Amino acid sequence: IHAGRLISVPGKAVRGPSTIVVDAGRIVSVADGFTAPAGATVIELRDRTVLPGLIDSHVHLASDRGGEAGLV
C-alpha cells in the first residue's frame, strides 16, 4: 500500500509518504517512500491518509429492519 500519509503511532506525528507491506492479512513492514517488493500488488493511496487497524464496528440495533421485523 502506497500511503501519502500514515498514522502509525498514537500521539506521534503523522508519517509522510510510506509503503505498507501486507502478507496474509497482516502488516509485515512499513518503509518511508514509495517502494514495493517484486511481484507485489500495489494499492495506490498516495493522495490519502491511511490509519491501519481502524474498524467501522457501529451498528443500529433498534432501527435495523433485518432483526425480528425482517422475519415477518
Side-chain angles (χ1 to χ4, degrees):
I1 301 169
H2 288 165
R5 292 161 307 282
L6 175 62
I7 301 172
S8 59
V9 180
K12 292 207 174 182
V14 174
R15 294 174 66 138
S18 302
T19 297
I20 306 161
V21 178
V22 179
D23 185 20
R26 295 186 130 347
I27 295 172
V28 294
S29 68
V30 176
D32 292 332
F34 300 128
T35 60
T41 299
V42 177
I43 299 172
E44 291 293 348
L45 300 175
R46 293 176 187 228
D47 61 341
R48 306 294 172 118
T49 299
V50 175
L51 175 60
L54 183 63
I55 300 170
D56 180 4
S57 61
H58 84 278
V59 66
H60 300 267
L61 296 175
S63 64
D64 183 1
R65 301 270 315 152
E68 288 187 25
L71 298 175
V72 181

